[in-house]
Amino acid sequence: MKNHGVLPASCANQQSKTDAGLDDDLWLFVSARDPVADPSQSEFFSRNINEVAGLASDCDPSKPDSAASTAACQLGLEKHANFERDCKGFLRAPRFCDSSGEAMGTGCWKVPETMNAGRYVGQWYWRTSFLRPDADNLQTLSYQSCFDFQVVPAGTTAGTPGTTGVPDSDLPCTNNVLAFADVVRGPSTRPTAEPTDASPATPSAEPTTLSAEAVGPWGHCAMPSFVNEKRCPANYACVRWAGSPAYGRCQPVEAAEPTNKPTTPPPTAESSVEPSSLETSCSTKPWEHCADPLLLEELCCPASYTCVRAPNSPAYGRCQPSTY
């Protein structure tokens, strides 16, 4: 993982670090059967494994306004959300706390029924962005790794059906195979290029779908990974950051003026409590970031921890033990 994950709040391993990217995309592309040469990148982009399996559509990231950044196109049918400890996408590493540098990320995929037996080339493709003090904007990077694999006829004993059990982790990890549990009944439960039933589809708007499109006060209403701007509550408006308009927060209407810095929520009643109570109410965890270019001011650290700035990048800081 090379530290590019989010540590669980309970992690006390001082050797493990957090350097997660923003707007992660994690894809798996596959070649046609028995290629005679290495596929070009455009050939890979045209064959997202979920699209080949009929679980998604329009997954080519080189095409404008494609659906490539949606969960349906991601490896494992799940997409990591910025700043969340969700153990999804590239951040699906259950033992990240044990060794943030060497922890293994995992992901599942379905062998398409139309994929005939033969040899194939796969490409694992990760795209992410980082905030760096020496850069004016987000630095977007991509990493690829290719591998050969073989598809064998159904019923042979050469393959295994996938992982089993429950991940041993302090992160909210689930067995990624479960994301494919409804796929065995057909791709009609996932976005597809064509309906699987000739009859008109019946909308099934679940409450969770609607609530996912709304955010609370001061929550993120706009991010590059969002397909559409999310709803703000009454008397709040989505205010974009002037220096990076792809980002926005739900701010009170009377304060809804674009700024050159992301805005943080106003002080709460915590500011009037005794210092000892304030320390226990600090939401920043040990070894988490207390200073970042996106923060207007330094965050608090828990008791016995101090915000220590990086010598070569003083805009960044972590909560480290005061005697460290």
Side-chain angles (χ1 to χ4, degrees), residues 101-157:
E102 298 180 356
M104 182 177 68
T106 63
C108 297
W109 51 283
K110 181 180 184 295
V111 177
E113 295 179 2
T114 57
M115 184 175 271
N116 295 323
R119 185 180 64 84
Y120 295 83
V121 179
Q123 184 190 56
W124 175 92
Y125 195 110
W126 175 45
R127 184 177 68 185
T128 191
S129 299
F130 291 99
L131 285 167
R132 296 295 186 237
D134 56 349
D136 294 331
N137 300 297
L138 287 174
Q139 292 182 326
T140 300
L141 306 171
S142 62
Y143 300 86
Q144 306 87 35
S145 179
C146 294
F147 60 96
D148 295 315
F149 67 97
Q150 185 176 3
V151 174
V152 298
T156 64
T157 59

